[in-house]
């Protein structure tokens, strides 16, 4: 004989079942309808919503790349040899010369030295050659639906839709990385809305095809996060024997004269600059002996990409392309 389920247990099972049903993820099509409804509530044009979202489907490759991002195993020296190689340096020098007039105009307005604009361009996309082969809106929709970082990517998705709605680019032509970084400057949609510039005045902020907009947008970003036009980024230095390595911390800042007194010298053994700027020591990799003394501009580059390898590469490339 089957014993009847107690009333309390029945209520508990019902509650668990209801909660489970509520926590089940909706089908992608149902979820996308919610995106369409929210886009309409945000005031986006019906044509934008239709054209940008009508054929959107999840992209399995995007999830695969998000789940299996390669472990970073390169040493600093290996990384620099790949991204600041002689071929890129020569190309950077050529483009610095070819775009000298435009870069001078951008620098006059945004107060960022041309060599850093070109260096960022080179490290991010090999001077516009490698901008990503994914359609940004489907990629962002895939990541927003996936759930691992859904709130972040849902916001970026609506920012991308706003960019289309404002007429800067069509959804079809909005191409970028699997994670949604776009154009020759690899801006996320939120960065685009905050920092991209219509430098040529054609009504569109075109970081995909218009160099004037690419350069001005990069410069505007750096200027907005504290760039100092009268300073460089830093330099590799040599530490004295027995140096306290706990001082190689971005949180520790001292005047150059103080670092000089502690025995820190240029990589060639020469004295540090006489200008008494605040600076921090950074050791980008525990597996590398390289140590750099860096200024506020290095910190600004880290706002662009929070990687010491990346910031060191941008600084190193900027130095090399500025020399004949």
């Amino acid at each position: 004989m089957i014993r009847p389920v107690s009333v309390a247990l029945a209520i508990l099972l019902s509650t668990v079942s209801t909660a489970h049903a509520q926590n089940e993820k909706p089908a992608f099509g149902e979820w996308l309808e919610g995106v369409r409804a929210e886009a309409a509530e945000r005031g986006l044009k019906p044509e934008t919503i239709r054209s940008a979202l009508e054929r959107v489907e999840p992209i399995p490759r995007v999830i695969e790349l998000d789940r299996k991002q390669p472990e970073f195993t390169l040493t600093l020296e290996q990384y620099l040899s790949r991204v600041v190689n002689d071929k890129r340096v020569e190309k950077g020098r050529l483009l610095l010369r070819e775009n000298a007039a435009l870069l001078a105009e951008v620098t006059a307005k945004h107060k960022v030295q041309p060599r850093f604009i070109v260096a960022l361009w080179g490290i991010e996309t090999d001077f516009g050659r490698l901008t990503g082969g994914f359609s940004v809106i489907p990629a962002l929709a895939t990541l927003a639906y996936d759930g691992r970082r859904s709130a972040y990517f849902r916001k970026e998705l609506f920012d991308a839709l706003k960019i289309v709605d404002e007429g800067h680019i069509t959804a079809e032509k909005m191409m970028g990385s699997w994670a949604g970084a776009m154009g020759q400057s690899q801006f996320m949609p939120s960065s685009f809305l905050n920092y991209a510039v219509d430098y040529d005045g054609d009504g569109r902020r075109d970081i995909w095809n218009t160099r004037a907009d690419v350069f001005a947008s990069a410069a505007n970003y750096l200027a907005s996060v504290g760039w100092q036009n009268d300073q460089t980024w830093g330099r590799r230095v040599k530490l004295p024997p027995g140096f306290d390595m706990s001082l190689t911390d971005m949180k520790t800042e001292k005047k150059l004269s103080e670092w000089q007194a502690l025995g820190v010298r240029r990589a060639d053994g020469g004295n540090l600059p006489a200008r008494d700027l605040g600076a921090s020591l950074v050791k980008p990799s525990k597996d590398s002996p390289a140590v750099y003394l860096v200024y506020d501009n290095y910190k600004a580059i880290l706002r662009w990409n929070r990687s010491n390898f990346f910031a060191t590469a941008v600084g190193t490339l900027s130095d090399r392309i500025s020399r004949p």
Side-chain angles (χ1 to χ4, degrees), residues 11-79:
I11 292 173
L12 175 63
L13 291 173
S14 174
T15 302
V16 170
S17 176
T18 301
H20 177 72
Q22 289 175 344
N23 289 331
E24 284 184 354
K25 185 162 65 172
F28 183 80
E30 181 183 347
W31 175 86
L32 196 61
E33 282 303 314
V35 171
R36 290 191 179 98
E38 184 172 341
E41 290 174 3
R42 287 170 176 253
L44 273 67
K45 303 181 189 76
E47 174 57 26
T48 297
I49 299 170
R50 185 197 63 75
S51 65
L53 297 174
E54 66 178 347
R55 288 185 294 274
V56 169
E57 296 288 344
I59 306 174
R61 178 61 175 158
V62 167
I63 299 300
E64 180 184 345
L65 290 168
D66 185 50
R67 289 286 189 274
K68 299 180 179 178
Q69 295 182 53
E71 184 179 349
F72 199 81
T73 57
L74 296 178
T75 65
L76 176 66
E77 287 74 19
Q78 289 170 332
Y79 176 80

Side-chain angles (χ1 to χ4, degrees), residues 188-199:
M188 290 299 290
S190 57
S191 293
F192 180 101
L193 292 176
N194 287 326
Y195 304 114
V197 172
D198 173 21
Y199 190 81

Side-chain angles (χ1 to χ4, degrees), residues 266-310:
R266 296 175 187 256
D268 63 4
N271 289 330
L272 298 179
R275 188 178 178 190
D276 225 7
L277 298 175
S280 299
L281 286 171
V282 61
K283 194 173 187 296
S285 171
K286 64 181 180 180
D287 300 322
S288 168
V291 178
Y292 296 83
L293 193 60
V294 300
Y295 310 137
D296 286 342
N297 287 345
Y298 184 90
K299 297 174 185 177
I301 299 170
L302 286 177
R303 292 283 298 275
W304 182 294
N305 183 322
R306 295 186 183 280
S307 162
N308 284 315
F309 278 35
F310 177 89

Side-chain angles (χ1 to χ4, degrees), residues 116-298:
F116 289 101
I117 299 170
V118 174
L120 270 169
W121 186 33
I123 298 297
E124 279 289 14
T125 61
D126 194 27
F127 311 106
R129 187 176 69 88
L130 303 170
T131 59
F134 288 88
S135 183
V136 167
I137 287 176
L140 290 172
T142 299
L143 292 165
Y145 174 72
D146 176 55
R148 193 164 79 88
R149 291 180 287 168
S150 58
Y152 170 74
F153 284 111
R154 187 180 180 93
K155 178 183 181 302
E156 294 293 339
L157 173 59
F158 284 114
D159 284 346
L161 292 171
K162 183 176 181 181
I163 292 166
V164 173
D165 199 58
E166 290 180 353
H168 301 291
I169 194 167
T170 64
E172 184 180 10
K173 292 180 179 179
M174 182 185 275
M175 303 297 291
S177 75
W178 63 267
M182 310 180 301
Q184 295 188 38
S185 52
Q186 290 291 278
F187 277 5
M188 290 299 290
S190 57
S191 293
F192 180 101
L193 292 176
N194 287 326
Y195 304 114
V197 172
D198 173 21
Y199 190 81
D200 65 356
D202 67 351
R204 297 183 302 114
R205 294 183 272 176
D206 182 10
I207 62 171
W208 292 267
N209 303 297
T210 304
R211 282 188 184 178
D213 291 2
V214 173
F215 295 165
S217 297
N220 186 47
Y221 187 111
L222 291 176
S224 299
V225 297
W227 192 266
Q228 303 296 315
N229 192 38
D230 62 343
Q231 298 179 21
T232 186
W233 66 282
R235 56 179 44 79
R236 186 166 176 176
V237 293
K238 183 192 300 186
L239 304 180
F243 187 82
D244 181 1
M245 296 304 291
S246 70
L247 296 177
T248 58
D249 181 345
M250 289 290 291
K251 295 177 182 178
T252 301
E253 182 174 304
K254 297 180 183 293
K255 298 293 187 181
L256 288 180
S257 59
E258 295 178 283
W259 291 120
Q260 174 80 17
L262 289 172
V264 178
R265 297 292 184 269
R266 296 175 187 256
D268 63 4
N271 289 330
L272 298 179
R275 188 178 178 190
D276 225 7
L277 298 175
S280 299
L281 286 171
V282 61
K283 194 173 187 296
S285 171
K286 64 181 180 180
D287 300 322
S288 168
V291 178
Y292 296 83
L293 193 60
V294 300
Y295 310 137
D296 286 342
N297 287 345
Y298 184 90

